[in-house]
Amino acid sequence: MRIYNQNIWGNMKPEHKIANRNLLIHGLISKYDPDVCGFQECNPKTSRAGDTPIASLLSDFYNEVFSENADHNFTPLFYHRERMTCIDCGWFLFDGKNDKNSKSVTWAILEEKASGKRAAFLSVHFWWKWESEEDTLGRRANARQLVDFCKELAEKYPVPFFVMGDLNSGVGAHQGEDAYFTMRSLGMRDLRALAKETTSMQTAHEYPVLNEEGNYENGGQPHKTLDYIFGFGKEPLSVDRFCVLTEEDALNSSDHCPLVADVQI
């Protein structure tokens, strides 16, 4: 099973525009053909609007989890409807600081049609500022609230959990590494460490530049680690490959590179 995750830079200033970025993301998903996609910063006023709304581009093969919530969900999940069935799903905002009400969790219990196996998938986005100790404590609180929810959901669905998203925490991050280590201390397993094959761990970089033709270019090479896919639960996890995509289209689509993980349930 293949998982794709990306912060797609939808919380942006009006002068930046979406331009061709949703098209680039759609191209990457078409190329890598994941079973499940998670996004962060999927702003309803930008990423879901205009001539190329991301959900419409993906609708040829993908269903959105809890789609009736799309007008205020910044952390959506999509699943390949020919391969997966949604058994249960939901969404909630993190407590505490929450700009644009964009720091949230979307979750789904998905069943693989071919095998009948089930797993839980969650798309998450933690608090981002780093101006005070309160900001640091806010990210730690995000981690604890998330893990508490996973434990509660696992009582009903004792399946493998895959938690993907932007923690605004990690190597090179202005915000520090504390939220990442809080996740690890509470039982989350970084799929990078479990994978038989891995690439560079850096995921975030400078914003790509909007050129005179109205397209984005010159996305830099990543130098910070903010984005992760974790495993959680009692089930053993087998991860064949964990990859950070750094090809040109990926770098130009956002300031965050996509993550791709090939896992076995």
Side-chain angles (χ1 to χ4, degrees):
M1 180 180 294
R2 176 164 287 181
I3 303 169
Y4 177 108
N5 183 79
Q6 188 180 16
N7 178 322
I8 60 176
W9 183 29
N11 295 343
M12 63 206 189
K13 297 178 180 178
E15 62 266 25
H16 283 136
K17 304 179 174 32
I18 287 293
N20 64 322
R21 293 195 292 107
N22 280 352
L23 295 171
L24 294 176
I25 293 165
H26 177 250
L28 291 165
I29 290 172
S30 297
K31 176 179 178 179
Y32 287 94
D33 194 27
D35 298 286
V36 182
C37 306
F39 295 136
Q40 298 79 51
E41 289 195 31
C42 189
N43 192 320
K45 294 182 179 179
T46 59
S47 301
R48 296 182 184 272
D51 297 331
T52 58
I54 190 67
S56 295
L57 292 175
L58 295 179
S59 64
D60 47 359
F61 291 109
Y62 294 87
N63 286 352
E64 181 174 356
V65 168
F66 208 31
S67 59
E68 59 269 29
N69 199 43
D71 63 342
H72 55 279
N73 186 358
F74 289 67
T75 58
L77 281 169
F78 296 84
Y79 62 95
H80 199 297
R81 60 176 168 269
E82 294 182 1
R83 304 174 194 153
M84 313 291 290
T85 300
C86 185
I87 303 302
D88 198 358
C89 63
W91 170 91
F92 64 89
L93 285 171
F94 280 118
D95 297 334
K97 291 185 174 183
N98 206 318
D99 56 323
K100 299 183 176 68
N101 283 333
S102 65
K103 305 306 179 284
S104 58
V105 177
T106 303
W107 62 272
I109 306 298
L110 301 179
E111 181 176 283
E112 191 175 44
K113 291 183 177 182
S115 67
K117 294 180 179 179
R118 294 181 178 183
F121 298 87
L122 298 88
S123 175
V124 307
H125 196 183
F126 284 10
W127 180 247
W128 67 280
K129 287 188 177 181
W130 61 93
E131 298 168 354
S132 67
E133 180 67 13
E134 187 179 0
D135 293 320
T136 300
L137 294 175
R139 276 183 291 281
R140 293 177 186 170
N142 292 160
R144 288 192 293 271
Q145 184 179 357
L146 173 64
V147 174
D148 286 346
F149 173 77
C150 288
K151 289 179 178 178
E152 181 181 343
L153 188 61
E155 291 294 320
K156 183 177 181 181
Y157 297 105
V159 298
F161 278 57
F162 297 99
V163 180
M164 64 192 88
D166 177 2
L167 300 194
N168 281 306
S169 173
V171 177
H174 298 297
Q175 299 93 329
E177 302 180 38
D178 59 289
Y180 170 74
F181 286 119
T182 300
M183 292 280 280
R184 293 287 304 274
S185 71
L186 294 173
M188 291 284 174
R189 288 172 280 174
D190 189 341
L191 294 197
R192 284 185 185 88
L194 302 176
K196 299 170 186 175
E197 178 185 346
T198 62
T199 62
S200 169
M201 64 186 292
Q202 282 79 24
T203 64
H205 55 85
E206 292 82 7
Y207 294 107
V209 178
L210 188 64
N211 64 24
E212 294 180 355
E213 287 74 38
N215 294 317
Y216 277 94
E217 62 182 4
N218 296 328
Q221 287 294 320
H223 56 85
K224 295 185 289 185
T225 304
L226 303 178
D227 309 274
Y228 303 90
I229 304 177
F230 293 96
F232 184 78
K234 298 178 181 179
E235 294 286 338
L237 296 174
S238 179
V239 186
D240 294 326
R241 182 170 178 257
F242 184 96
C243 181
V244 179
L245 303 184
T246 57
E247 59 199 78
E248 185 176 358
D249 284 354
L251 296 173
N252 293 342
S253 66
S254 174
D255 60 322
H256 291 248
C257 296
L259 311 181
V260 173
D262 292 331
V263 302
Q264 298 181 38
I265 301 177

